[in-house]
Amino acid sequence: MKIAVLLTCFNRREKTLSCLSSLFYALEVYNNKYENKIDLSIYLTDDGCTDGTGNAVRENFIDKNITILQGTGNLFWAGGMRLGWDAALKDSSVWDYYLLINDDTDMLPCLFEDLIKTDTYCIDKYGKQGVYTGFIRDPETKKASFGGSTSHLLTPKDHPLECTSACANVMFFSQSVVDVIGTFDKRYIHAGCDYDYSRMACRANIPVLTTYSFVGECENEHRKEDIDTSKMTFSQRKKFMYKPTTGRIDYLLYIKKFWPKKYYASKSLFLIELYLPWLYKMIFNQRRKKLSQKHMQHANN
């Protein structure tokens, strides 16, 4: 099996090295166990790293098939992933699968076994291949931090679960999927294009599933305490909200594309946060309280 691995890095040298080390170890575990070997080709976008990530990767993995693509520093995550994807598509190789990963995620040894097992399950149940998102756990709590979602983040069961939103901390799919829905939407700057991709798959009647079990570890930094923009000056708040890495502009695109009737409400909330942050804070706290109650009810059921 020939698999193209896509990832983007920016000034997280130690995490990037750890991610790749765990990936190659998982590959070794799989290839030592199964006759049908996996051949990996890595396409790593170095989006203007100043901490020597690219050189460190070259020095530590000199015997691995890694293509390092140089970004401008303005590609961000979505642009960096598209650059790597385009390079893989231009390569002379014919890919069986694509594996998208985040460089802050450490892979577990079961990674490839679980992904291939999920693919087999999907073919047996649906008669076609799908998009698969890996369950990721927090390294300390061992609870789910990333993976597949419906109205809430799912947790592993004894079989793959259907989901509508899938994150690319670990995302796996075949060339047949790319033939139908293509690559990431070019309008996304930093965030949301992985969720977009899973939604596009659902629209195309392509199964979107979780893996059987946890296949990686990563802390969900997005769940840390939210930044209170009401404490910023207007100019600080505007700069922050339009900053690509906050994902706010990408989120509006995501809403407009899949829930156009909700777009104007979301855009209104964006403007309320910008111009009336105290009001936005009240609305946000109320919504978070209701969401927390909903999740507690789901957990109890």
Side-chain angles (χ1 to χ4, degrees):
M1 288 179 285
K2 295 183 69 64
I3 301 177
V5 180
L6 315 176
L7 70 158
T8 297
C9 64
F10 179 71
N11 287 349
R12 297 196 293 199
R13 180 177 58 187
E14 297 310 316
K15 286 187 176 183
T16 303
L17 294 175
S18 179
C19 171
L20 290 173
S21 294
S22 66
L23 176 70
F24 289 124
Y25 180 70
L27 176 66
E28 181 181 351
V29 169
Y30 183 89
N31 283 344
N32 286 338
K33 187 174 181 179
Y34 295 95
E35 291 184 6
N36 187 13
K37 309 302 182 187
I38 291 176
D39 180 19
L40 290 188
S41 295
I42 317 296
Y43 294 85
L44 168 66
T45 298
D46 177 344
D47 192 27
C49 292
T50 58
D51 65 349
T53 299
N55 288 333
V57 169
R58 291 185 185 94
E59 293 170 359
N60 283 269
F61 304 102
I62 193 170
D63 60 332
K64 304 300 183 183
N65 186 6
I66 303 178
T67 299
I68 299 179
L69 305 158
Q70 194 60 51
T72 61
N74 294 309
L75 290 177
F76 300 100
W77 188 80
M81 296 300 280
R82 287 193 297 265
L83 182 66
W85 208 333
D86 289 343
L89 289 171
K90 291 175 183 177
D91 204 313
S92 58
S93 296
V94 177
W95 307 111
D96 296 305
Y97 297 95
Y98 296 87
L99 174 60
L100 281 58
I101 61 177
N102 273 8
D103 74 326
D104 61 350
T105 303
D106 284 335
M107 309 299 142
L108 296 178
C110 65
L111 173 70
F112 290 105
E113 183 174 18
D114 203 322
L115 292 174
I116 300 302
K117 187 179 175 182
T118 302
D119 188 49
T120 301
Y121 173 92
C122 186
I123 294 170
D124 290 344
K125 183 171 183 178
Y126 302 95
K128 62 178 75 173
Q129 293 175 296
V131 174
Y132 318 122
T133 179
F135 275 121
I136 310 299
R137 68 190 184 194
D138 184 277
E140 292 187 5
T141 66
K142 304 302 180 183
K143 294 182 179 181
S145 54
F146 293 98
S149 304
T150 50
S151 60
H152 57 279
L153 181 64
L154 301 172
T155 54
K157 303 295 182 183
D158 58 353
H159 59 83
L161 305 174
E162 293 184 2
C163 57
T164 52
S165 298
C167 76
N169 280 63
V170 170
M171 182 180 278
F172 189 65
F173 45 85
S174 67
Q175 181 62 48
S176 64
V177 170
V178 180
D179 291 340
V180 175
I181 59 177
T183 60
F184 281 163
D185 189 322
K186 290 181 170 56
R187 292 175 294 174
Y188 287 94
I189 303 170
H190 180 68
C193 51
D194 47 355
Y195 292 110
D196 178 287
Y197 202 72
S198 56
R199 290 279 177 181
M200 289 298 295
C202 291
R203 279 186 173 182
N205 199 31
I206 295 172
V208 180
L209 304 175
T210 67
T211 50
Y212 280 82
S213 59
F214 290 115
V215 297
E217 289 190 335
C218 180
E219 178 187 8
N220 189 342
E221 296 180 346
H222 304 300
R223 292 185 184 177
K224 291 182 178 180
E225 186 176 355
D226 299 287
I227 296 175
D228 187 355
T229 55
S230 66
K231 296 179 180 180
M232 301 178 183
T233 65
F234 176 77
S235 60
Q236 289 173 334
R237 187 163 54 251
K238 183 177 181 180
K239 183 178 180 180
F240 172 79
M241 291 177 64
Y242 280 94
K243 186 178 180 182
T245 51
T246 65
R248 280 167 165 76
I249 301 302
D250 289 321
Y251 174 75
L252 290 176
L253 168 60
Y254 181 64
I255 294 296
K256 188 174 184 179
K257 184 173 179 179
F258 295 100
W259 299 276
K261 292 182 179 180
K262 296 181 179 181
Y263 170 72
Y264 291 104
S266 298
K267 184 62 180 291
S268 296
L269 277 175
F270 179 88
L271 294 174
I272 288 172
E273 182 179 11
L274 180 61
Y275 292 102
L276 300 170
W278 58 270
L279 178 58
Y280 173 82
K281 187 176 181 179
M282 290 176 56
I283 296 172
F284 178 81
N285 287 335
Q286 289 176 355
R287 291 179 67 183
R288 183 163 59 177
K289 184 178 180 180
K290 289 181 179 179
L291 188 62
S292 177
Q293 291 173 345
K294 184 178 179 181
H295 286 173
M296 286 182 64
Q297 290 175 355
H298 174 78
N300 291 333
N301 292 333

